[in-house]
Amino acid sequence: MGLSKIQRKSRIRKRIRKVSFGTEARPRLSIFRSNSEIYAQIINDTEGKTLIAVSSRDKELAKEKGTKTEIATLVGKAVAEKAKKAGIGKVAFDRGGNLYHGRVKALADGAREAGLEF
């Protein structure tokens, strides 16, 4: 019998986390995607601290109108701008078990457009 969606995503997430590790020089950009919102965090795993967190529920982004994909692009740009202010230029990308298309890809493209490297 096959795995459920949740079990499959959990396995993929664990496999990604074995490889993707955020250091001080290159922190990890972690993405969580729910049905209606998208969240992005930049995490230093050596210290176990979240350095930057941006989501589609933030005040500036919540009033934006558009499709979920367009809002994900804005979240990517916002996280890249905050990262630049904090002196972070390179990150390790963690898609969080999601497939790299749609909103996850839009967020990554938005972050790249704003100058974040991964």
PDB file of all heavy atoms in Angstrom, residues 52-66:
ATOM      1  N   ILE A  52      15.195  36.056  10.059  1.00  0.00           N
ATOM      2  CA  ILE A  52      14.202  36.869   9.356  1.00  0.00           C
ATOM      3  C   ILE A  52      12.975  36.003   9.089  1.00  0.00           C
ATOM      4  O   ILE A  52      13.103  34.839   8.732  1.00  0.00           O
ATOM      5  CB  ILE A  52      14.771  37.375   8.018  1.00  0.00           C
ATOM      6  CG1 ILE A  52      15.955  38.300   8.271  1.00  0.00           C
ATOM      7  CG2 ILE A  52      13.713  38.075   7.191  1.00  0.00           C
ATOM      8  CD1 ILE A  52      16.793  38.559   7.065  1.00  0.00           C
ATOM      9  N   ALA A  53      11.801  36.584   9.252  1.00  0.00           N
ATOM     10  CA  ALA A  53      10.560  35.873   8.942  1.00  0.00           C
ATOM     11  C   ALA A  53       9.618  36.814   8.201  1.00  0.00           C
ATOM     12  O   ALA A  53       9.421  37.955   8.614  1.00  0.00           O
ATOM     13  CB  ALA A  53       9.899  35.371  10.214  1.00  0.00           C
ATOM     14  N   VAL A  54       9.072  36.333   7.095  1.00  0.00           N
ATOM     15  CA  VAL A  54       8.130  37.103   6.288  1.00  0.00           C
ATOM     16  C   VAL A  54       7.012  36.150   5.867  1.00  0.00           C
ATOM     17  O   VAL A  54       7.264  34.981   5.595  1.00  0.00           O
ATOM     18  CB  VAL A  54       8.810  37.689   5.020  1.00  0.00           C
ATOM     19  CG1 VAL A  54       7.813  38.453   4.178  1.00  0.00           C
ATOM     20  CG2 VAL A  54       9.970  38.579   5.396  1.00  0.00           C
ATOM     21  N   SER A  55       5.792  36.666   5.840  1.00  0.00           N
ATOM     22  CA  SER A  55       4.681  35.841   5.374  1.00  0.00           C
ATOM     23  C   SER A  55       3.683  36.685   4.616  1.00  0.00           C
ATOM     24  O   SER A  55       3.741  37.914   4.644  1.00  0.00           O
ATOM     25  CB  SER A  55       3.987  35.147   6.550  1.00  0.00           C
ATOM     26  OG  SER A  55       3.149  36.047   7.225  1.00  0.00           O
ATOM     27  N   SER A  56       2.773  36.011   3.965  1.00  0.00           N
ATOM     28  CA  SER A  56       1.727  36.715   3.236  1.00  0.00           C
ATOM     29  C   SER A  56       0.708  37.329   4.192  1.00  0.00           C
ATOM     30  O   SER A  56      -0.158  38.084   3.764  1.00  0.00           O
ATOM     31  CB  SER A  56       1.042  35.767   2.259  1.00  0.00           C
ATOM     32  OG  SER A  56       0.526  34.648   2.938  1.00  0.00           O
ATOM     33  N   ARG A  57       0.831  37.056   5.466  1.00  0.00           N
ATOM     34  CA  ARG A  57      -0.079  37.621   6.470  1.00  0.00           C
ATOM     35  C   ARG A  57       0.466  38.897   7.094  1.00  0.00           C
ATOM     36  O   ARG A  57      -0.224  39.533   7.893  1.00  0.00           O
ATOM     37  CB  ARG A  57      -0.333  36.593   7.565  1.00  0.00           C
ATOM     38  CG  ARG A  57      -1.013  35.336   7.024  1.00  0.00           C
ATOM     39  CD  ARG A  57      -1.373  34.413   8.118  1.00  0.00           C
ATOM     40  NE  ARG A  57      -2.435  35.030   8.898  1.00  0.00           N
ATOM     41  CZ  ARG A  57      -3.068  34.443   9.897  1.00  0.00           C
ATOM     42  NH1 ARG A  57      -2.733  33.229  10.247  1.00  0.00           N
ATOM     43  NH2 ARG A  57      -4.013  35.055  10.548  1.00  0.00           N
ATOM     44  N   ASP A  58       1.697  39.290   6.754  1.00  0.00           N
ATOM     45  CA  ASP A  58       2.264  40.537   7.270  1.00  0.00           C
ATOM     46  C   ASP A  58       1.407  41.719   6.840  1.00  0.00           C
ATOM     47  O   ASP A  58       0.769  41.692   5.796  1.00  0.00           O
ATOM     48  CB  ASP A  58       3.693  40.730   6.770  1.00  0.00           C
ATOM     49  CG  ASP A  58       4.672  39.759   7.419  1.00  0.00           C
ATOM     50  OD1 ASP A  58       4.277  39.089   8.390  1.00  0.00           O
ATOM     51  OD2 ASP A  58       5.811  39.686   6.944  1.00  0.00           O
ATOM     52  N   LYS A  59       1.429  42.784   7.635  1.00  0.00           N
ATOM     53  CA  LYS A  59       0.558  43.939   7.384  1.00  0.00           C
ATOM     54  C   LYS A  59       0.749  44.537   5.998  1.00  0.00           C
ATOM     55  O   LYS A  59      -0.210  44.875   5.319  1.00  0.00           O
ATOM     56  CB  LYS A  59       0.788  45.010   8.451  1.00  0.00           C
ATOM     57  CG  LYS A  59       0.220  44.648   9.789  1.00  0.00           C
ATOM     58  CD  LYS A  59       0.428  45.761  10.786  1.00  0.00           C
ATOM     59  CE  LYS A  59      -0.125  45.368  12.146  1.00  0.00           C
ATOM     60  NZ  LYS A  59       0.082  46.422  13.141  1.00  0.00           N
ATOM     61  N   GLU A  60       2.018  44.688   5.575  1.00  0.00           N
ATOM     62  CA  GLU A  60       2.275  45.311   4.275  1.00  0.00           C
ATOM     63  C   GLU A  60       1.772  44.431   3.131  1.00  0.00           C
ATOM     64  O   GLU A  60       1.312  44.933   2.116  1.00  0.00           O
ATOM     65  CB  GLU A  60       3.779  45.551   4.054  1.00  0.00           C
ATOM     66  CG  GLU A  60       4.535  46.158   5.197  1.00  0.00           C
ATOM     67  CD  GLU A  60       5.063  45.102   6.166  1.00  0.00           C
ATOM     68  OE1 GLU A  60       5.682  44.116   5.749  1.00  0.00           O
ATOM     69  OE2 GLU A  60       4.832  45.293   7.371  1.00  0.00           O
ATOM     70  N   LEU A  61       1.898  43.118   3.283  1.00  0.00           N
ATOM     71  CA  LEU A  61       1.549  42.199   2.202  1.00  0.00           C
ATOM     72  C   LEU A  61       0.097  41.752   2.248  1.00  0.00           C
ATOM     73  O   LEU A  61      -0.452  41.334   1.236  1.00  0.00           O
ATOM     74  CB  LEU A  61       2.469  40.980   2.244  1.00  0.00           C
ATOM     75  CG  LEU A  61       3.954  41.280   2.066  1.00  0.00           C
ATOM     76  CD1 LEU A  61       4.782  40.038   2.314  1.00  0.00           C
ATOM     77  CD2 LEU A  61       4.229  41.827   0.689  1.00  0.00           C
ATOM     78  N   ALA A  62      -0.542  41.840   3.407  1.00  0.00           N
ATOM     79  CA  ALA A  62      -1.926  41.377   3.539  1.00  0.00           C
ATOM     80  C   ALA A  62      -2.892  42.250   2.755  1.00  0.00           C
ATOM     81  O   ALA A  62      -3.930  41.774   2.292  1.00  0.00           O
ATOM     82  CB  ALA A  62      -2.332  41.326   5.007  1.00  0.00           C
ATOM     83  N   LYS A  63      -2.546  43.523   2.579  1.00  0.00           N
ATOM     84  CA  LYS A  63      -3.463  44.401   1.843  1.00  0.00           C
ATOM     85  C   LYS A  63      -3.270  44.324   0.334  1.00  0.00           C
ATOM     86  O   LYS A  63      -4.056  44.880  -0.411  1.00  0.00           O
ATOM     87  CB  LYS A  63      -3.342  45.842   2.325  1.00  0.00           C
ATOM     88  CG  LYS A  63      -1.972  46.366   2.555  1.00  0.00           C
ATOM     89  CD  LYS A  63      -2.029  47.737   3.195  1.00  0.00           C
ATOM     90  CE  LYS A  63      -0.748  47.986   3.968  1.00  0.00           C
ATOM     91  NZ  LYS A  63      -0.591  49.297   4.451  1.00  0.00           N
ATOM     92  N   GLU A  64      -2.231  43.608  -0.125  1.00  0.00           N
ATOM     93  CA  GLU A  64      -2.005  43.447  -1.561  1.00  0.00           C
ATOM     94  C   GLU A  64      -3.072  42.537  -2.161  1.00  0.00           C
ATOM     95  O   GLU A  64      -3.463  41.546  -1.561  1.00  0.00           O
ATOM     96  CB  GLU A  64      -0.623  42.835  -1.825  1.00  0.00           C
ATOM     97  CG  GLU A  64       0.527  43.711  -1.439  1.00  0.00           C
ATOM     98  CD  GLU A  64       0.676  44.928  -2.322  1.00  0.00           C
ATOM     99  OE1 GLU A  64       0.317  44.852  -3.503  1.00  0.00           O
ATOM    100  OE2 GLU A  64       1.166  45.951  -1.809  1.00  0.00           O
ATOM    101  N   LYS A  65      -3.512  42.903  -3.348  1.00  0.00           N
ATOM    102  CA  LYS A  65      -4.496  42.095  -4.063  1.00  0.00           C
ATOM    103  C   LYS A  65      -3.781  41.355  -5.191  1.00  0.00           C
ATOM    104  O   LYS A  65      -2.815  41.841  -5.751  1.00  0.00           O
ATOM    105  CB  LYS A  65      -5.608  42.976  -4.651  1.00  0.00           C
ATOM    106  CG  LYS A  65      -6.397  43.743  -3.614  1.00  0.00           C
ATOM    107  CD  LYS A  65      -7.184  42.823  -2.734  1.00  0.00           C
ATOM    108  CE  LYS A  65      -7.970  43.621  -1.702  1.00  0.00           C
ATOM    109  NZ  LYS A  65      -8.456  42.802  -0.627  1.00  0.00           N
ATOM    110  N   GLY A  66      -4.269  40.191  -5.519  1.00  0.00           N
ATOM    111  CA  GLY A  66      -3.688  39.409  -6.596  1.00  0.00           C
ATOM    112  C   GLY A  66      -3.854  37.928  -6.322  1.00  0.00           C
ATOM    113  O   GLY A  66      -4.431  37.510  -5.313  1.00  0.00           O
TER     114      GLY A  66
END
